[in-house]
Amino acid sequence: MKVLIATEKPFSKVAVDGIKAVTDAAGYELALLEKYTEKKQLLDAVADVDALIIRSDKVDAEVLDAAKNLKIVVRAGAGYDNIDLAAATAHNVVAMNTPGQNANSVAELVFGLLVYGVRNFFNGTSGTELLGKKLGILAFGNVGRNVARIAQGFGMEVVAYDAFCPAEVIETAGVKAAKSQEELFETCDIISLHIPATPETKQSINYALVGKLKKGGILVNTARKEVIDEPDLIKLLEERTDLKYLTDIKPDADAEFAEKFAGRYFATPKKMGAQTAEANVNAGIAAANQIVGFLRDGISKFKVN
Ligand code: 3PG
């Protein structure tokens, strides 16, 4: 069996070594395609592989057509909106993710962005503290729960809303449950987004919702750019000069945001949420183990299609 790691944004070396230890132990061959710049490189590399490990790399019908032997693709991470699930199913390819494995890494970055934001991007002027501020977490999944835990360490008041997670579950984590996303935006100083990109959530973070934020409010996005209604957010930031937007995923209109909202807008140059050695090791090795578990033992836990 041949496994390919195809990562436009590479894992740390220690993670690749860890994946190799798993594939070696199973007697599988491991190939590596990193930092590719053309889709053609991916199409060529998948031609003879049985299993594929990816990150935010796009796996669409064309990639699946080119991967004649492919049986399984594992997204080493949480969000699998980069995989065409219907096409995978049509090609008899199992798709999986590795939920939770990079969650702490993403959650820690939320606070990196927040401290940078509330200290005015380290420009020497007097900023504010996180202690005592009210943090609203939108979606209480693996990342949201880690954000809540860290926020409690900062002494923040933590509130969460999740359309699919009952209030009682949220409250057992010592977090107040909001009744709606509107209530969350209305009552919090800072909102951290942890929703996946789905047909329901795309462009759902819009003018009406973000406009509910209190004076001096901050929106932090370590989820997906697609959940933001960009024209709406631009319009709102033009009107509300008190608001800040901090994001780990560059919007399509990054240049416009940067030009119009200097000092209130920050985007990481490259998505950094899951870019830690620990997250790479956790998600990468989980992906390798899931591949061996599936190919050797038929285990399909974490299948998403
Ligand atoms: C995820 O969905 O796991 C995160 O967004 C991390 O994405 P990345 O592996 O592309 O950094």
Side-chain angles (χ1 to χ4, degrees):
M1 293 284 175
K2 183 170 175 183
V3 180
L4 172 71
I5 302 175
T7 47
E8 181 275 322
K9 185 175 60 187
F11 287 129
S12 60
K13 185 177 178 309
V14 63
V16 175
D17 291 346
I19 292 169
K20 187 158 174 12
V22 174
T23 50
D24 280 355
Y28 298 171
E29 187 188 339
L30 183 70
L32 189 59
L33 173 70
E34 290 181 330
K35 293 188 189 169
Y36 57 94
T37 49
E38 308 289 329
K39 188 175 188 184
K40 170 89 172 57
Q41 293 168 271
L42 179 61
L43 296 177
D44 290 344
V46 298
D48 62 344
V49 307
D50 300 279
L52 184 56
I53 297 175
I54 53 161
R55 296 184 63 174
S56 289
D57 308 80
K58 276 206 164 37
V59 171
D60 58 13
E62 196 185 354
V63 174
L64 292 158
D65 278 341
K68 296 275 177 262
N69 298 339
L70 193 65
K71 295 155 189 71
I72 175 168
V73 53
V74 184
R75 192 285 190 241
Y80 45 86
D81 46 306
N82 50 321
I83 304 176
D84 183 335
L85 295 182
T89 304
H91 284 77
N92 258 324
V93 171
V94 165
M96 294 186 186
N97 66 347
T98 65
Q101 300 291 348
N102 59 19
N104 180 65
S105 177
V106 179
E108 287 190 12
L109 188 78
V110 170
F111 293 88
L113 291 169
L114 279 180
V115 171
Y116 188 52
V118 295
R119 297 301 179 101
N120 300 329
F121 303 168
F122 304 155
N123 71 357
T125 64
S126 188
T128 59
E129 299 181 18
L130 295 176
L131 177 73
K133 300 295 184 301
K134 207 165 180 176
L135 174 70
I137 300 175
L138 186 57
F140 206 59
N142 290 305
V143 182
R145 284 160 212 238
N146 276 283
V147 169
R149 170 182 54 79
I150 300 169
Q152 286 160 343
F154 271 93
M156 301 182 84
E157 205 182 318
V158 190
V159 189
Y161 175 74
D162 189 314
F164 303 98
C165 180
E168 309 84 76
V169 175
I170 292 175
E171 278 163 6
T172 52
V175 172
K176 192 167 174 281
K179 288 186 181 57
S180 64
Q181 24 178 45
E182 286 72 20
E183 182 193 311
L184 195 74
F185 276 73
E186 234 162 52
T187 55
C188 291
D189 303 297
I190 298 166
I191 296 288
S192 190
L193 303 175
H194 302 292
I195 44 178
T198 65
E200 293 75 34
T201 64
K202 281 183 185 170
Q203 278 94 51
S204 67
I205 308 302
N206 58 20
Y207 184 90
L209 194 58
V210 187
K212 293 189 185 301
L213 275 176
K214 289 196 231 167
K215 191 167 172 7
I218 300 177
L219 178 66
V220 55
N221 184 6
T222 55
R224 288 291 180 273
K225 71 173 180 185
E226 290 83 358
V227 302
I228 303 287
D229 184 321
E230 292 188 17
D232 267 27
L233 188 57
I234 290 171
K235 181 171 180 275
L236 185 70
L237 289 174
E238 279 169 347
E239 291 171 14
R240 293 271 311 265
T241 56
D242 57 302
L243 299 180
K244 283 186 178 136
Y245 180 48
L246 313 171
T247 181
D248 188 34
I249 317 94
K250 267 193 191 161
D252 292 333
D254 170 59
E256 188 177 352
F257 274 92
E259 192 201 314
K260 288 189 168 155
F261 311 120
R264 300 194 283 134
Y265 166 74
F266 174 75
T268 50
K270 187 105 180 158
K271 191 168 152 213
M272 289 299 294
Q275 255 331 31
T276 62
E278 293 89 339
N280 292 171
V281 165
N282 293 343
I285 294 179
N289 279 322
Q290 286 172 217
I291 285 170
V292 176
F294 176 73
L295 292 177
R296 198 185 52 197
D297 307 319
I299 299 169
S300 55
K301 193 174 173 195
F302 303 123
K303 181 173 184 276
V304 293
N305 66 331

